[in-house]
Amino acid sequence: MFRRKLTALEYHNPTGFDCKDETEFRNFIVWLEDQKIRHYKIEDRGNLRNIPSSDWPNHFEKYLQDVNCPFSAQERQETVDWLLGLAVRFEYGDNVEKYRNCKPVTEASDVQKSADPLINLDSNNPDFKAGVLALANLLKIQRHDDYLVMLKAIRILIQERLSPDAIAKASQAKEGLPVALDKHILGFDTGDATLNEAARVLRLLHIEELRELQTKINEAIVAVQAIIADPKTDHRLGKVGR
């Protein structure tokens, strides 16, 4: 997931980098600070360069605070991605003339851009990623490597659950038909009229839940049939399907 940024920064192993390998990760952080970010003075980088030290995680945590990283050392993937984004910004700032005449590669057409405003967002911006992650945590949305995918999930949730129409619909009281409990046979007797009535209510609620479950099962069956019930016919083989 870091290959493009690592390649842009001319890292020696962009395709094989594994941030879960502790030694490789620590060496990578040292390289990133020495070659690209350069937040510390050279004489102040000794703690980060002391890779075998048992105190290295504490020094790395302090380093993240010093560069104002919004993630903690425990969130390793997010931290690496954020630091790479910071390094790319510094790399561009150091070589503005080199990159000024580079034409951006556009994968989407103008029609697509106008149709989906998310395409115009800079998904590599550290502030953008921090904001999306904060929203995802607030709304309890599962994390994804692609921050645009996470943002789309947030948009869908807000549209379906938090829009004024959705809130108004959810707040409407559901009115049901009155039910005569004495007409429903319980099937057993608790010896107490109040308990018998409570048992009838619980049984009716359970039946309602079963009906809702059956409805969802039917909807799932219809959805599956819509996918598999339209096979392609190969006339040359005289078979249905591939």
Side-chain angles (χ1 to χ4, degrees), residues 36-142:
K36 304 299 177 181
I37 297 178
R38 301 189 291 275
H39 181 76
Y40 288 160
K41 295 180 180 179
I42 295 178
E43 58 270 20
D44 295 333
R45 301 173 189 170
N47 290 328
L48 281 180
R49 290 175 174 173
N50 189 11
I51 293 175
S53 173
S54 58
D55 291 333
W56 192 91
N58 296 328
H59 298 307
F60 177 57
E61 188 71 53
K62 183 179 183 301
Y63 175 72
L64 293 179
Q65 295 174 1
D66 291 341
V67 296
N68 296 319
C69 178
F71 304 105
S72 65
Q74 287 72 31
E75 299 171 294
R76 180 164 292 190
Q77 287 190 344
E78 291 84 354
T79 299
V80 170
D81 192 60
W82 188 90
L83 289 174
L84 284 173
L86 182 65
V88 168
R89 285 199 303 172
F90 287 152
E91 179 73 11
Y92 175 80
D94 293 340
N95 302 276
V96 175
E97 296 300 327
K98 175 182 176 182
Y99 298 111
R100 177 169 294 174
N101 297 324
C102 293
K103 295 182 179 180
V105 178
T106 57
E107 297 179 358
S109 64
D110 295 338
V111 175
Q112 290 175 319
K113 286 184 178 180
S114 60
D116 190 353
L118 296 183
I119 296 178
N120 296 321
L121 293 175
D122 181 10
S123 59
N124 294 321
N125 187 296
D127 295 332
F128 167 78
K129 292 182 177 181
V132 170
L133 192 60
L135 278 174
N137 291 335
L138 180 64
L139 298 174
K140 301 186 183 303
I141 293 177
Q142 186 175 359

Side-chain angles (χ1 to χ4, degrees), residues 145-164:
D145 293 340
D146 191 334
Y147 283 78
L148 283 178
V149 172
M150 258 201 300
L151 183 58
K152 289 179 180 178
I154 292 171
R155 182 178 66 178
I156 292 172
L157 176 63
I158 291 175
Q159 289 175 340
E160 293 185 352
R161 301 287 182 86
L162 302 178
S163 64

Side-chain angles (χ1 to χ4, degrees), residues 9 39 115 139 161 163 168-169 186 189 204 206 236:
L9 294 171
H39 181 76
L139 298 174
R161 301 287 182 86
S163 64
K169 184 177 180 181
L186 182 58
D189 186 9
L204 290 173
H206 179 59
R236 294 172 300 173

